[in-house]
Amino acid sequence: MIKVNFTNALSEAVFEKYLGQVKDIHHMIHDKTGLGSDFLGWVEWPNTYDQAELAAMKQTAKQLANEIDVLLVIGIGGSYLGARAAIEMINGLYSQQKVKVIYLGNTMSSTYMAQVLQYLQNKKFGICVVSKSGTTTEPAIAFRLCKELLEKKEGFLKAAKLIVAITDKHKGALKTLADEAGYQTFVIPDDIGGRYSVLTPVGVFAMLVSGIDVDNVFKGAQQAYQDTLIDDLTNYAYKYAVGRYILNYEKKYKAEMLVTYELQMQMITEWWKQLFGESEGKDSKGLLPLSCIFSTDLHSLGQFIQEGTKNILFETVIEIKKPQLDLALTKAEQDIDGLNYLAGKTLHEVNITAIQGVIAAHIKVGHVPNIILEFETMDDKMFGYLSYWFMKACAMSAYLLKINPFDQPGVEIYKKNMFDLLGKN
Ligand code: PA5
């Protein structure tokens, strides 16, 4: 479901010398012998996820969706980005789904928070609060404020039925709170870290409330699991990882710009930035992950990419083969806007032409290498596929750099500093 094309970035010959390393790292991932191997639970997850828990989530999500108009998904980083990426990619930005999703706990902006609370005054809403540690400050504050409003509107007992907590099986403040108040809880497995958790209840519960067919998401992930079992460079996820390593280490590029031509894929690029940035940005190593939405950014950063400072970044362009929806361009009686020359084409065909035109400009004139990722579709199965595929590519990529892909010591420093400055015991 994903093909990688390096024609405009690297020659085939440069990959060969990495074959041995790829084989070793593949076995390191599957045999759990590498750095951070306690957090490799996501590798087998598409086949080992708890079916009884999924059935319980489906039931709870259905009941909740019947009772509410708005779902608040409260979380940050790996406890937020995956759910949003899935919901926006699969449902689109103006979906007809009954339940609207609002994301909180990823900011401490008082204005944003207060505005959402005002908006919720007259809405029937429920809460899905997600935190593995159960102690992260941003979601904890947002949850306290939203819970208070919900309890005021609905009463303590009814509010408790409209709250679902997704957290550690045994420990953390959120787990204690949930047990005391009687919230339904679902578990974040011990051996799966935040940014690798989208296929666990962390992403799945919100997807279910949003009407997404999660069985299809798992089918996609299972297919990606099969396709990435190969331990050589015919495995596209590994080829992508090696290609970006060569561009970084041999060709000295510092940044990778992930480009999409679909607005509903913007949060996929945000999820990807966290996955690669937090997994690899350690020991003064790693490519800086950036993202652009074209055509939007062709009229801003496009100029810099084309003619600005050279040898900083390469682009990885996502090309969607089959759009969810398309529009035919027809002939107008009077061609005052001069667009009749497009009659007979579809809007997606024009978008694909833009991709080809931009790639040619950025490569031939701008001399910016371009990797092309061909995605078949933008649906539920594709989301399952791409999320697993990128996680596998990221593990390979970080191990090539000799980095632990599964910790985030830098993030922990800021979290601790905040606790100290705010006077937490
Ligand atoms: O990927 C990660 O591990 C992080 O981004 C965490 O998900 C994020 O810091 C939120 O942590 P928690 O779920 O403990 O609130």
Side-chain angles (χ1 to χ4, degrees):
M1 296 179 82
I2 298 180
K3 280 193 194 140
V4 184
N5 182 340
F6 276 98
T7 313
N8 300 311
L10 293 167
S11 70
E12 283 301 312
V14 296
F15 286 88
E16 272 163 34
K17 65 174 180 287
Y18 291 95
L19 192 56
Q21 273 187 74
V22 165
K23 279 191 190 297
D24 290 348
I25 295 173
H26 172 83
H27 294 288
M28 199 188 263
I29 294 171
H30 282 271
D31 302 341
K32 300 191 177 182
T33 52
L35 289 167
S37 58
D38 287 350
F39 288 93
L40 278 162
W42 57 272
V43 175
E44 297 295 330
W45 186 257
N47 304 316
T48 59
Y49 69 88
D50 184 341
Q51 307 237 4
E53 186 176 50
L54 179 60
M57 278 195 286
K58 283 182 180 171
Q59 203 184 359
T60 307
K62 199 170 162 197
Q63 280 162 1
L64 191 60
N66 279 337
E67 294 204 41
I68 60 174
D69 297 320
V70 178
L71 177 71
L72 305 182
V73 173
I74 300 179
I76 194 165
S79 291
Y80 142 74
L81 283 159
R84 186 164 180 183
I87 291 167
E88 293 195 0
M89 170 178 154
I90 299 164
N91 289 348
L93 299 178
Y94 295 92
S95 99
Q96 302 295 318
Q97 291 296 334
K98 173 181 178 278
V99 179
K100 180 183 165 67
V101 183
I102 294 183
Y103 302 92
L104 286 164
N106 56 341
T107 172
M108 270 182 311
S109 161
S110 53
T111 308
Y112 178 75
M113 190 72 227
Q115 198 168 35
V116 174
L117 290 173
Q118 268 168 20
Y119 172 84
L120 291 172
Q121 290 290 344
N122 307 317
K123 300 280 183 297
K124 288 284 292 172
F125 74 93
I127 301 175
C128 167
V129 55
V130 189
S131 179
K132 187 170 188 192
S133 62
T135 53
T136 309
T137 313
E138 291 87 343
I141 292 176
F143 181 53
R144 180 185 280 206
L145 293 167
C146 296
K147 180 170 77 77
E148 278 169 4
L149 176 64
L150 194 60
E151 286 169 353
K152 215 161 96 192
K153 275 166 68 83
E154 308 279 356
F156 188 82
L157 287 178
K158 173 77 183 160
K161 300 219 171 312
L162 297 171
I163 296 173
V164 171
I166 296 170
T167 189
D168 188 88
K169 193 169 189 174
H170 303 292
K171 58 180 190 299
L174 180 57
K175 174 67 182 157
T176 311
L177 196 68
D179 286 348
E180 273 180 20
Y183 306 148
Q184 171 74 271
T185 57
F186 296 108
V187 174
I188 309 178
D190 281 344
D191 57 356
I192 302 185
R195 57 192 174 277
Y196 294 82
S197 70
V198 63
L199 299 170
T200 74
V202 171
V204 165
F205 185 75
M207 286 187 224
L208 285 166
V209 179
S210 305
I212 289 172
D213 185 335
V214 167
D215 294 330
N216 278 343
V217 173
F218 276 110
K219 276 184 200 148
Q222 282 153 3
Q223 193 176 325
Y225 174 88
Q226 283 302 331
D227 290 354
T228 60
L229 273 183
I230 307 163
D231 69 355
D232 62 34
L233 287 161
T234 59
N235 176 337
Y236 278 128
Y238 292 168
K239 190 160 185 192
Y240 167 61
V242 172
R244 60 198 299 286
Y245 179 85
I246 296 171
L247 286 161
N248 185 197
Y249 263 74
E250 292 188 26
K251 309 283 179 191
K252 307 290 176 209
Y253 287 93
K254 302 278 179 234
E256 175 179 14
M257 178 78 79
L258 186 66
V259 176
T260 173
Y261 281 71
E262 300 284 348
L263 281 174
Q264 70 204 65
M265 296 283 284
Q266 182 162 12
M267 290 308 299
I268 294 285
T269 70
E270 296 300 324
W271 173 83
W272 171 90
K273 279 196 274 197
Q274 190 216 2
L275 179 65
F276 280 88
E278 221 170 60
S279 296
E280 296 194 320
K282 292 160 211 169
D283 302 344
S284 307
K285 293 181 190 170
L287 280 163
L288 172 65
L290 304 171
S291 66
C292 265
I293 312 293
F294 288 174
S295 292
T296 314
D297 291 321
L298 285 174
H299 296 256
S300 63
L301 286 179
Q303 174 60 38
F304 184 94
I305 297 169
Q306 182 76 40
E307 294 183 341
T309 314
K310 288 294 148 205
N311 299 329
I312 295 180
L313 64 88
F314 64 90
E315 289 169 288
T316 297
V317 181
I318 298 174
E319 188 177 323
I320 306 288
K321 289 303 198 193
K322 191 165 172 286
Q324 273 176 356
L325 302 168
D326 205 356
L327 291 167
L329 300 171
T330 53
K331 202 167 184 170
E333 247 172 57
Q334 290 185 316
D335 189 23
I336 300 172
D337 56 13
L339 290 177
N340 269 358
Y341 76 100
L342 294 174
K345 293 192 192 305
T346 71
L347 193 51
H348 188 67
E349 283 166 1
V350 178
N351 206 13
I352 294 289
T353 313
I355 297 179
Q356 288 158 359
V358 173
I359 288 174
H362 287 189
I363 292 161
K364 290 201 187 101
V365 189
H367 304 295
V368 178
N370 270 232
I371 303 171
I372 318 294
L373 299 183
E374 288 178 15
F375 285 20
E376 263 174 36
T377 53
M378 277 194 294
D379 58 14
D380 36 27
K381 201 169 167 207
M382 188 71 216
F383 180 81
Y385 192 96
L386 79 86
S387 55
Y388 187 87
W389 190 94
F390 272 127
M391 292 192 283
K392 201 78 181 281
C394 187
M396 171 59 67
S397 186
Y399 279 145
L400 281 166
L401 290 171
K402 302 192 171 35
I403 276 175
N404 176 354
F406 308 116
D407 63 356
Q408 52 287 325
V411 182
E412 306 304 339
I413 295 172
Y414 118 84
K415 283 188 180 180
K416 186 182 173 307
N417 284 352
M418 242 179 64
F419 289 153
D420 292 347
L421 289 166
L422 291 169
K424 187 178 179 188
N425 301 323

